[in-house]
Amino acid sequence: MELPVFKLERYFARYEFKVRHLLCSSDCESVTIKDLLAFEAGAGDAFENLWLGYTESQGAPALRQAISRLYDTIGPDQVLVHSGAEEAIFLFMHAALSPGDHLIVHWPCYQSLHEVARSIGCEVTFWEAREEQGWSLDPDDLADRIRPRTRAVIINTPHNPTGWLMPRDEFVRLNRMLDERGILLFSDEVYRESEYSADDRLPAACDLSHHAVSLGVMSKTYGLPGLRIGWIATGNPEIANRMAALKDYTTICNSGPSEFLAEIALRHRDRLIRRNREIITTNLTILDDFFQRHSTLFSWVRPMAGPIAFVHLSDGEVDTFCHELVNRNGVLLLPGNLYGDRGNHFRIGFGRRGMPAAVAALERFVGSRNS
Ligand SMILES: Cc1ncc(COP(=O)(O)O)c(C=O)c1O
């Protein structure tokens, strides 16, 4: 297994904890442990008295119970908790794929969604989002890409980096089509519940098909990436059992304090979602105005969910733009080439309270560039 550098993660490792303004974060505003414990009477005491022994490998029963409530047909035994969504991606690929298998991956995407499969010796074909059609996926493109050895399709909606949300009827059709063909669907749903209109929320793939595996996490919509708690939910016991067996070679079990805190957060997730949606709504208004003022320099497809968007730079080369911006004004944007994009885009993040100050600094940079 040979894995190339994870470009986006290395970029964050270089800048994230050094720059003045983070303007490309993929998550929403976080909270402190104190804030979280205050959600529930007695939680503080219970946390202090938590036993720090090994935990159940599948995930704490109470946490799996809380996770299963996010789904219609999934019970606690059909949930496998991981250390972040990243571990689940790695283990899914190793559990489901063999060398020579063919995989179709929604692109652009978070790099591990295709790179882990490649490192196993799979052939990967991209199912490309079409910017000219609002970053949508064309179902005919998928049909053209399916081969006899296609083992799985990977999609991510709401989407990183565009914020695109697949229409419900398309999502249902996709699940049905793959189900009929016996092709696995790995559905990265880490941005679920961040839709700007709750009516647009898609059903979870695991509720539509036994072949599907839904991926969830505390990191994005709920703003709790420091917990490192992610999970898969699936009615496919074969894949879940293989992933559980592989987990014995990665993390064995999860962090007890994190499981405890994740359970509280999920019981009160409406509060976290409401707060983070408010931040996103306020920030989007600021961005709408900003992009209108600078419409000759930037254009974007306004996202439908989540705290990120993929913006086109119309004048200049995006790597140079981002490089000069961070060096001169301390504002971090994410150049699209870190996804392998050649379309002169950058990712912008607007799920944090500090975004207005970051946009003001970006605007100063744009002004100095023009003068
Ligand atoms: C689409 C997507 N999937 C999975 C992950 C991994 O999530 P985590 O960092 O919580 O493991 C990320 C992180 O940015 C992501 O954007």
Side-chain angles (χ1 to χ4, degrees), residues 25-334:
S25 303
S26 64
D27 54 3
C28 292
E29 183 82 13
S30 202
V31 297
T32 63
I33 291 178
K34 196 173 171 187
D35 291 338
L36 205 55
L37 292 174
F39 282 2
E40 218 166 277
D45 263 2
F47 188 57
E48 281 184 19
N49 287 302
L50 188 75
W51 188 254
L52 288 176
Y54 279 108
T55 61
E56 276 195 38
S57 182
Q58 193 178 352
L63 173 60
R64 284 187 282 115
Q65 179 88 49
I67 292 170
S68 70
R69 291 204 187 96
L70 302 172
Y71 307 100
D72 293 336
T73 62
I74 294 291
D77 288 347
Q78 293 168 307
V79 171
L80 178 61
V81 183
H82 292 84
S83 294
E86 185 72 320
E87 186 190 25
I89 293 170
F90 191 86
L91 294 190
F92 169 80
M93 301 289 175
H94 281 270
L97 303 174
S98 307
D101 280 346
H102 176 239
L103 191 78
I104 300 174
V105 184
H106 180 179
W107 185 88
C109 67
Y110 192 63
Q111 192 172 333
S112 49
L113 292 173
H114 58 81
E115 213 68 88
V116 178
R118 274 213 191 98
S119 76
I120 292 169
C122 298
E123 263 195 76
V124 174
T125 304
F126 287 145
W127 184 12
E128 292 186 22
R130 293 171 175 259
E131 184 175 16
E132 67 284 6
Q133 288 165 25
W135 292 117
S136 63
L137 289 172
D138 187 330
D140 290 340
D141 288 348
L142 176 66
D144 290 346
R145 283 160 176 72
I146 290 179
R147 302 180 194 167
R149 283 212 68 170
T150 303
R151 170 79 172 130
V153 171
I154 315 290
I155 55 162
N156 167 220
T157 179
H159 184 226
N160 173 358
T162 65
W164 174 74
L165 196 54
M166 187 178 270
R168 176 183 291 255
D169 56 339
E170 250 174 57
F171 191 68
V172 172
R173 269 202 303 276
L174 172 70
N175 272 274
R176 198 178 306 138
M177 192 265 269
L178 296 178
D179 211 18
E180 282 164 8
R181 293 177 184 232
I183 297 173
L184 291 168
L185 176 66
F186 185 76
S187 180
D188 183 329
E189 298 167 5
V190 299
Y191 285 105
R192 194 153 178 259
E193 298 201 312
S194 70
E195 304 79 10
Y196 305 156
S197 162
D199 293 344
D200 291 342
R201 182 164 310 149
L202 293 174
C206 60
D207 283 328
L208 295 177
S209 154
H210 285 317
H211 275 292
V213 176
S214 288
L215 176 69
V217 83
M218 298 307 296
S219 308
K220 310 296 181 187
T221 305
Y222 314 120
L224 302 171
L227 293 180
R228 307 310 301 135
I229 292 287
W231 59 87
I232 54 122
T234 183
N236 183 330
E238 197 191 321
I239 293 293
N241 290 339
R242 269 195 249 158
M243 289 176 73
L246 288 173
K247 194 181 161 196
D248 292 338
Y249 283 96
T250 52
T251 56
I252 304 172
C253 63
N254 308 296
S255 146
S258 287
E259 289 200 326
F260 180 96
L261 295 168
E263 187 194 326
I264 293 182
L266 284 178
R267 274 206 293 271
H268 300 273
R269 70 185 207 284
D270 287 351
R271 258 168 102 159
L272 292 167
I273 293 170
R274 207 177 318 120
R275 185 197 68 147
N276 288 338
R277 273 221 215 103
E278 276 166 22
I279 294 172
I280 287 174
T281 305
T282 307
N283 286 346
L284 273 174
T285 311
I286 293 169
L287 282 183
D288 283 334
D289 290 347
F290 174 80
F291 287 135
Q292 206 171 2
R293 282 197 299 281
H294 299 285
S295 57
T296 52
L297 187 55
F298 306 113
S299 61
W300 74 335
V301 177
R302 200 177 194 273
M304 294 180 258
I308 47 178
F310 214 37
V311 180
H312 182 256
L313 179 75
S314 311
D315 177 25
E317 197 273 322
V318 80
D319 279 345
T320 313
F321 182 89
C322 293
H323 183 75
E324 288 178 356
L325 174 66
V326 72
N327 284 333
R328 286 198 208 149
N329 292 54
V331 180
L332 193 69
L333 289 173
L334 191 86

